[in-house]
C-alpha cells in the first residue's frame, strides 16, 4: 500500500525526500536510514527513521491540519492512557519541495491485528475497553470537537450516496434497513467526552495478542464517544463483542449508535477505496458482513 495514490490531490512522497527533509531540518538525525512503511492509512505516509523513530507526512491537503492537532493533543492525552500513544519528537516544516508541516515520532513496536484472525479476542476486547474508558475520563476543557462525535443524522446524506454507488455489490436493501434502524437510536444525553474517532485495525498495535499501543490521533476530539465502539465490528469477533460492551458499559442506545458508525464508515469507505486500498476495502466488507450476520 506504500505509494499507491488514493486521492486526486495526493502528492508524491518517497524515502529520498524524507532523507533530505530530515538532514536539512534535523541535522542530528542526518544519515539515518529511511524506509517507507507499508500501510493502509489514507491520510498520512509513514517512514521508518533509524531504529527508534518514524516520520509522518500528510499525503494530501485535507490531512495537513492533523499535524498540529496531534502535536498539541498527544502531549496532553498520551500520559493518561493505559497503553502507548505516539510521542512527538519534532515538528518539521515545508522544505525540499514539500509544502506542509510534518512530524517525527518515537517508534512504537507492535503489529496490526487482522479482523478474523485475532489471537486473544477476549483479552484484546478488555484492553480496548480500558483504552476507551481511560480516554473518556480525561478532562475535556478546551478540547476540540470530534468530527465523528456528532449525531448519526449528519452522516445520512453521504451514507445514502455510498449505498447508491454500492448497488449490485452488496445487499443494499438489507443494509439500508439497518442504517435506518441506527438513525432511530436515541442520542447521547450525557456531556461530551474524548473519543479517538478512528479505532480501526490499522491504528491498533498488539503484541502476543494484547493491546500495546493506539496510533493516529489526527481525529481525536470531544463529542459522542459512541464512534469508538466501531472496533467491536471492524476488529473483534462476535464472540468477544459482549466482553467489550460490558467492559465499556454501553447501553442499548450507545451500542446502536456505535454499530451505526461502523456501518456508515464502512459504506462510505468501500466505493471510494475499492480499487486503491484493498485492505481497507476488505475490512469495510468485513464490517458490513458482520453487522448483517448480527441482524440475522
Amino acid at each position: 500500500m506504500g505509494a499507491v495514490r488514493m486521492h486526486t490531490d495526493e502528492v508524491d512522497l518517497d524515502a529520498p525526500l524524507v532523507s533530505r527533509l530530515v538532514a536539512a531540518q534535523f541535522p542530528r538525525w542526518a544519515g539515518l536510514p529511511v524506509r517507507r512503511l507499508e500501510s493502509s492509512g489514507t491520510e498520512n505516509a509513514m517512514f521508518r527513521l533509524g531504529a527508534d523513530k518514524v516520520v509522518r507526512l500528510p499525503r494530501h491537503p485535507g490531512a495537513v491540519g492533523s499535524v498540529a492537532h496531534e502535536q498539541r493533543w498527544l502531549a496532553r492525552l498520551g500520559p493518561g492512557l493505559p497503553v502507548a500513544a505516539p510521542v512527538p519528537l519534532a515538528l518539521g516544516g515545508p522544505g525540499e519541495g514539500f509544502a506542509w508541516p510534518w512530524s517525527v515520532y518515537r517508534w512504537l513496536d507492535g503489529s496490526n491485528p487482522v479482523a478474523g484472525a485475532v489471537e486473544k479476542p477476549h483479552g484484546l476486547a478488555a484492553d480496548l475497553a480500558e483504552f476507551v474508558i481511560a480516554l473518556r475520563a480525561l478532562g475535556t476543557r478546551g478540547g476540540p470537537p470530534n468530527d465523528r462525535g456528532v449525531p448519526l443524522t449528519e452522516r445520512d446524506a453521504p451514507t445514502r450516496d455510498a449505498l447508491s454507488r454500492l448497488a449490485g455489490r452488496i445487499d443494499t436493501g438489507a443494509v439500508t434497513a439497518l442504517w435506518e434502524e441506527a438513525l432511530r437510536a436515541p442520542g447521547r444525553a450525557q456531556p461530551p467526552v474524548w473519543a479517538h474517532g478512528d479505532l480501526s485495525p490499522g491504528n491498533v498495535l498488539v503484541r502476543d495478542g494484547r493491546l500495546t499501543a493506539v496510533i493516529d490521533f489526527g481525529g481525536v476530539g470531544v463529542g459522542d464517544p459512541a464512534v469508538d465502539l466501531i472496533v467491536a465490528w471492524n476488529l473483534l469477533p462476535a464472540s468477544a463483542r459482549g466482553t467489550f460492551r460490558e467492559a465499556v458499559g454501553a447501553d442499548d442506545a450507545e451500542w446502536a449508535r456505535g454499530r451505526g458508525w461502523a456501518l456508515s464508515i464502512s459504506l462510505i469507505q468501500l466505493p471510494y477505496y475499492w480499487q486503491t486500498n484493498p485492505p481497507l476495502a476488505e475490512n469495510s466488507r468485513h464490517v458490513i458482513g458482520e453487522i448483517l450476520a448480527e441482524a440475522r
Side-chain angles (χ1 to χ4, degrees), residues 3 21 36 42 46 73 92 96 130 146 153 170 177-178 184 188 237 249:
L21 283 167
R36 186 165 190 152
T42 63
M46 295 192 296
W73 294 108
E96 306 299 319
E130 184 183 13
N146 190 312
T153 51
I170 65 170
L178 290 171
R184 293 192 292 271
R188 180 176 172 84

Side-chain angles (χ1 to χ4, degrees), residues 194-216:
W194 286 101
H196 179 277
D198 194 14
L199 277 184
S200 60
N203 292 332
V204 169
L205 298 180
V206 299
R207 186 187 302 117
D208 298 325
R210 301 303 296 266
L211 184 68
T212 61
V214 175
I215 61 174
D216 193 349

Side-chain angles (χ1 to χ4, degrees), residues 128-220:
L128 288 163
E130 184 183 13
F131 169 83
V132 169
I133 291 169
L135 182 58
R136 291 181 179 188
L138 297 177
T140 59
R141 183 179 179 181
N146 190 312
D147 290 342
R148 286 181 171 177
V150 298
L152 278 177
T153 51
E154 295 190 21
R155 299 277 291 194
D156 192 36
T159 300
R160 291 185 189 273
D161 177 67
L163 279 163
S164 70
R165 289 184 286 136
L166 289 167
R169 294 182 173 185
I170 65 170
D171 186 344
T172 52
V175 173
T176 299
L178 290 171
W179 172 240
E180 292 175 347
E181 179 182 339
L183 290 174
R184 293 192 292 271
R188 180 176 172 84
Q190 299 88 351
V193 294
W194 286 101
H196 179 277
D198 194 14
L199 277 184
S200 60
N203 292 332
V204 169
L205 298 180
V206 299
R207 186 187 302 117
D208 298 325
R210 301 303 296 266
L211 184 68
T212 61
V214 175
I215 61 174
D216 193 349
F217 282 70
V220 72

Side-chain angles (χ1 to χ4, degrees), residues 8-52:
T8 56
D9 55 356
E10 194 162 327
V11 299
D12 292 324
L13 301 170
D14 57 25
L17 168 65
V18 174
S19 293
R20 294 194 303 271
L21 283 167
V22 170
Q25 299 184 32
F26 306 108
R28 63 190 181 277
W29 297 327
L32 290 177
V34 174
R35 174 173 59 89
R36 186 165 190 152
L37 298 172
E38 294 294 318
S39 170
S40 60
T42 63
E43 302 296 291
N44 299 275
M46 295 192 296
F47 295 80
R48 186 80 178 261
L49 176 63
D52 59 354

